[in-house]
Amino acid sequence: ALSALLLSLATAGIPPIANQDFAEIVTSLSYPCEAHYVTTKDGYINTFYRIQAKNTQFTAGLQPIYLQHGLLGSSDDFIINDEELAPGLLIANAGYDVWFGNSRGNKYSQAHVNGSINPNSSYWDFSWQDMSLYDLPAGLEYIYNSTNFKKIHYLGHSQGTIQMFAALCRRDPTVLKYLGQFHAAGPVAYVNNQDSVGITLLAKSGLLPFEEW
């Protein structure tokens, strides 16, 4: 009885949205929603979500824009604010065809063509560089094939920006072919000013397989 009371007190006032996934959130707000599964050249299967304006049905011919979240995030990050402030919903209501990427390994993208994965699987042997090399081009090409728009706008946040910076630096042919506008929100290239003792020690330990570009 005490544990039930404590749980009740701990969860009091938590809105239902806190326990909903992406599709549940947007459909509860009357946005049309589709889930798409994008397979990369190295076999990762990432979940993309697609929405358009509130109280509408999917319409062809709208300019597509690809939103990519930051470190440790997901597509949820663009929609969980108040509806009039959430960037993903604002962009949809402005008349765009909005596609939300989910990086390999996040809560929506944990699948591979080789089958099931587990905590010790080689599936987890990746970095943001693989997201740039494989996830980003696969996402752009998939959106092109789904919409037939020759140019797709891209809005990246934090880690979502460094993926694009790396792709542009290496002049990735797929990215250059399909990219329209690139909007960098909270862009990141270096983390010299981070002050976490743990991260600093780990970075200097030699345990992380950093690669040079």
Side-chain angles (χ1 to χ4, degrees), residues 3-211:
S3 60
L5 175 61
L6 292 175
L7 179 61
S8 176
L9 291 173
T11 57
I14 295 178
I17 193 175
N19 296 310
Q20 294 176 329
D21 63 20
F22 183 97
E24 291 171 331
I25 294 170
V26 296
T27 55
S28 71
L29 295 171
S30 300
Y31 291 81
C33 179
E34 294 176 347
H36 293 259
Y37 303 97
V38 178
T39 301
T40 68
K41 286 185 177 180
D42 60 343
Y44 285 72
I45 303 171
N46 299 329
T47 300
F48 277 53
Y49 288 107
R50 179 191 191 188
I51 71 170
Q52 290 184 3
K54 185 182 181 75
N55 295 319
T56 66
Q57 296 181 345
F58 281 103
T59 302
L62 302 183
Q63 171 66 52
I65 182 169
Y66 170 4
L67 274 57
Q68 184 59 49
H69 62 80
L71 180 66
L72 304 180
S74 75
S75 53
D76 294 354
D77 299 350
F78 293 105
I79 62 164
I80 55 174
N81 207 333
D82 293 337
E83 189 175 0
E84 65 274 13
L85 297 175
L89 305 182
L90 289 171
I91 295 169
N93 287 325
Y96 289 89
D97 185 5
V98 189
W99 294 74
F100 301 81
N102 282 290
S103 294
R104 58 181 65 197
N106 85 352
K107 67 178 184 177
Y108 294 122
S109 297
Q110 295 188 17
H112 195 276
V113 295
N114 291 337
S116 61
I117 59 175
N118 61 66
N120 298 315
S121 170
S122 60
Y123 170 92
W124 300 104
D125 185 16
F126 62 78
S127 74
W128 63 264
Q129 292 166 316
D130 298 293
M131 298 172 192
S132 174
L133 187 61
Y134 300 111
D135 297 359
L136 178 58
L140 286 169
E141 189 164 49
Y142 185 96
I143 296 169
Y144 165 74
N145 289 332
S146 299
T147 65
N148 205 34
F149 255 78
K150 293 183 179 180
K151 293 295 182 180
I152 298 153
H153 298 334
Y154 179 91
L155 188 158
H157 171 239
S158 191
Q159 182 178 261
T161 69
I162 200 169
Q163 293 175 39
M164 181 58 78
F165 290 145
L168 295 176
C169 284
R170 69 172 183 272
R171 301 192 62 78
D172 185 287
T174 302
V175 172
L176 294 179
K177 179 179 179 180
Y178 297 122
L179 179 64
Q181 299 176 7
F182 169 31
H183 302 270
V188 57
Y190 300 98
V191 290
N192 295 343
N193 295 318
Q194 68 82 22
D195 56 6
S196 166
V197 175
I199 291 176
T200 300
L201 291 174
L202 186 60
K204 293 182 178 180
S205 68
L207 297 176
L208 299 179
F210 289 123
E211 298 177 14

